[in-house]
Amino acid sequence: MKSKVTQSFLHHFEAEPLVVFAPGRINLIGEHTDYQEGFVFPAAIAHGIYVAIAKNNLNFCRVYALDFDQEFTFELGGMSPKKGHWASYVMGMCTLLNQAGYPLRNFDLVLGGDIPIGSGLSSSAALSVAVGLAIAKLFSFPIAKKNLALYSQKAEQLFAGVNCGIMDPYASLFGVENHAMLLDCRSVTHQEVKIPLNEYRFLLVNSKVSHALASSAYNQRRAACEESVDILQKFFPEIRTLRDLKVGDLSRVQQLLPKSLFPKAKHVITECGRVHQAAKALQNENLLEVGNLLKASHESLRDDFEVSCPEIDFLAIQAGSTKGVLGARMMGGGFGGCLLTLVKDAEVSSFKTSIKEGYLNKFKLMPDFIEVAVGAGARQV
Ligand code: GLA
């Protein structure tokens, strides 16, 4: 992919570019907790976005997206990023860096990647991280990785309309090979935890569905959590977010919240607990326990937080009853995307066959299987 992006750059533009790579991510556990300053447990993967960049002597920037075969030009002084267009991530990062006082000059840029779009592997976070890092390298801006993650989060909020948390760009920037990150989304710091999978692996099943309501439902869930916090603060004045509550507080929380809000708050509170348990289980190489936590997380996301969908639930049930599978759960924001499974190596091929058959029969859709290698974070390549 690197050489494809470089070749394309040389074909479209004149100069020799510098190239950066920013990975997508998986999340082992800890879903819909990041925007409540909770805990998440992501890892960067070997799939990602490549960006080739060089300065130009023009009065405008030129960007070319290899995957869409589209070129786009814009002036740094007159950018108008619009929601939903790939070039908005480029202009969005430029706008945010400009506002932060970095003196951008004109450049040419080519981007391309190998993350299946809509699979929930954070292609958009990888894109803004790659663009931000490429610009920082090109102009020697000393931008700390944590700040780059915050700019990328902001770009996603402003230009994709998703009121997302910090997890995706953070994982893309801080990933380490064969390690997951136990990320505290309040302090925005993490602890690396080795992933000892032995004769097991994480395998993704791409449902190939991405429901249209996803971003508005995501924003509604976040708003519901904030509403719960507003109510609960009157009785727990010390709390800032749901992250400050413990499983032991649940019965009191249930008395205080309306019926519609309690299950959502319960999910966030119990999920934060599961993140710590999963990190401990991984450190103890107790994969059976990790698998059980994946199942519990899925049930909570499905029944309490209500962000799953029939296709993913079907896949989760199928996976759960297949030999060699220790656990499975929906991954990412929800309403489609991928199921994360923990499967025994020796059973992978029979697992694939039975999942394919069942899913095809039920939904007339062929699922994809994505083998993920846990890789390093964003870097010049
Ligand atoms: C999306 C968001 C993240 C996070 C997850 C759910 O991936 O971008 O910030 O909230 O959903 O855990």
Side-chain angles (χ1 to χ4, degrees):
M1 197 70 214
K2 180 194 168 189
S3 66
K4 236 171 124 183
V5 171
T6 312
Q7 286 312 316
S8 162
F9 191 97
L10 296 171
H11 175 74
H12 280 85
F13 308 119
E14 299 79 33
E16 188 72 38
L18 75 81
V19 183
V20 305
F21 168 75
R25 62 103 189 92
I26 54 171
N27 184 22
L28 305 191
I29 197 162
E31 225 62 91
H32 287 275
T33 51
D34 61 351
Y35 50 75
Q36 278 293 305
E37 300 183 325
F39 295 88
V40 292
F41 203 24
I45 57 175
H47 294 74
I49 303 282
Y50 290 81
V51 160
I53 192 167
K55 294 175 189 168
N56 71 28
N57 293 320
L58 307 168
N59 298 324
F60 52 90
C61 295
R62 298 180 291 190
V63 292
Y64 174 72
L66 197 53
D67 303 331
F68 305 121
D69 186 23
Q70 277 176 12
E71 187 167 331
F72 193 88
T73 59
F74 62 91
E75 288 175 30
L76 285 171
M79 290 178 287
S80 53
K82 288 192 188 62
K83 275 183 193 167
H85 192 281
W86 61 266
S88 294
Y89 288 93
V90 183
M91 292 185 282
M93 285 305 278
C94 290
T95 307
L96 293 168
L97 293 175
N98 251 338
Q99 281 168 1
Y102 292 105
L104 262 70
R105 312 290 285 275
N106 290 303
F107 58 80
D108 295 326
L109 182 152
V110 170
L111 57 94
D114 57 7
I115 308 182
I117 292 176
S119 58
L121 294 175
S122 282
S123 52
S124 59
L127 172 55
S128 29
V129 166
V131 168
L133 187 65
I135 292 174
K137 295 267 177 209
L138 183 68
F139 298 109
S140 306
F141 297 152
I143 310 176
K145 280 207 261 184
K146 185 168 151 180
N147 289 340
L148 208 48
L150 291 166
Y151 294 133
S152 304
Q153 178 192 9
K154 197 91 213 146
E156 184 83 11
Q157 291 180 344
L158 293 176
F159 307 111
V162 181
N163 209 0
C164 63
I166 190 72
M167 169 168 73
D168 304 345
Y170 190 97
S172 179
L173 278 150
F174 286 90
V176 171
E177 226 169 280
N178 293 324
H179 286 72
M181 288 156 266
L182 175 56
L183 168 60
D184 176 339
C185 298
R186 170 169 288 163
S187 62
V188 198
T189 55
H190 76 279
Q191 183 196 328
E192 282 164 16
V193 179
K194 194 156 186 280
I195 307 183
L197 287 181
N198 306 325
E199 77 274 38
Y200 284 83
R201 72 177 76 167
F202 284 115
L203 180 67
L204 297 170
V205 186
N206 188 354
S207 67
K208 303 258 200 68
V209 294
S210 53
H211 291 283
L213 75 176
S215 58
S216 59
Y218 182 98
N219 294 343
Q220 281 163 11
R221 295 302 183 281
R222 180 173 177 151
C225 293
E226 286 161 7
E227 204 182 326
S228 293
V229 173
D230 280 347
I231 297 172
L232 293 170
Q233 273 173 337
K234 297 188 190 86
F235 306 91
F236 296 89
E238 69 289 0
I239 70 163
R240 204 165 87 173
T241 59
L242 294 174
R243 169 244 169 91
D244 296 310
L245 293 160
K246 300 276 170 298
V247 172
D249 297 318
L250 279 176
S251 58
R252 178 111 197 273
V253 169
Q254 183 163 21
Q255 288 161 4
L256 299 171
L257 289 181
K259 272 207 170 65
S260 59
L261 288 180
F262 173 67
K264 311 275 180 302
K266 178 180 163 215
H267 165 74
V268 177
I269 297 166
T270 56
E271 184 81 348
C272 285
R274 282 187 287 272
V275 172
H276 290 291
Q277 288 172 288
K280 201 167 275 164
L282 212 53
Q283 276 159 340
N284 295 334
E285 302 199 15
N286 185 350
L287 295 183
L288 210 63
E289 171 73 357
V290 174
N292 288 334
L293 290 162
L294 296 184
K295 283 183 216 159
S297 171
H298 183 76
E299 283 161 17
S300 180
L301 287 157
R302 183 192 62 202
D303 302 336
D304 287 338
F305 215 66
E306 296 183 282
V307 284
S308 192
C309 61
E311 295 87 347
I312 289 281
D313 288 340
F314 178 84
L315 289 171
I317 288 173
Q318 275 227 307
S321 58
T322 307
K323 196 172 154 223
V325 177
L326 292 185
R329 67 169 199 87
M330 57 149 279
M331 195 185 73
F335 308 102
C338 283
L339 184 82
L340 174 75
T341 64
L342 182 54
V343 199
K344 196 170 195 165
D345 290 337
E347 304 294 342
V348 165
S349 95
S350 57
F351 169 73
K352 286 183 179 170
T353 312
S354 77
I355 290 278
K356 257 189 220 162
E357 243 179 55
Y359 195 60
L360 195 60
N361 270 338
K362 172 91 180 162
F363 292 104
K364 311 282 166 269
L365 274 172
M366 184 60 100
D368 268 349
F369 296 91
I370 309 175
E371 306 264 350
V372 280
V374 171
R379 60 202 181 268
Q380 189 167 348
V381 288

